Amino acid sequence: MSPNAPKNPTRPIRVDLTEWGVFGEATNAMDSDRSAALRAFMNWYLHKPGSKTPTRPSRAVVDAAREAYLKKESEKATSEAPE
């Protein structure tokens, strides 16, 4: 196994694309990422020893994340639109 290979394989899940994008923005705002947040939730959910309840962002952080994501998507759609 190469030293840069991840130790765990990826797992596909079905998630609404907008919610996935907002989740990414929210985890970034919390200095984390989606994978770390999902792993923390799973560890807590499965009663893994030493796991703690994951930190949930405030409503303001989530609202700002949703606004940022929707703005990026709007800008992307505008730049990709034919003239």
Side-chain angles (χ1 to χ4, degrees):
M1 186 180 215
S2 100
N4 294 331
K7 71 177 184 177
N8 294 312
T10 60
R11 300 286 182 230
I13 62 171
R14 294 184 192 275
V15 181
D16 177 84
L17 288 177
T18 298
E19 295 307 306
W20 186 249
V22 175
F23 183 53
E25 292 288 336
T27 56
N28 288 340
M30 300 289 288
D31 294 324
S32 187
D33 60 50
R34 288 180 276 230
S35 293
L38 290 170
R39 283 191 302 270
F41 171 77
M42 289 173 61
N43 289 339
W44 167 79
Y45 193 85
L46 298 173
H47 299 272
K48 187 173 179 178
S51 66
K52 298 176 183 169
T53 305
T55 301
R56 186 177 184 190
S58 69
R59 172 71 66 180
V61 168
V62 173
D63 289 345
R66 184 172 305 281
E67 187 176 318
Y69 175 76
L70 294 175
K71 181 179 178 186
K72 285 180 185 178
E73 287 299 297
S74 175
E75 290 170 353
K76 186 166 63 171
T78 301
S79 69
E80 294 174 355
E83 292 184 28

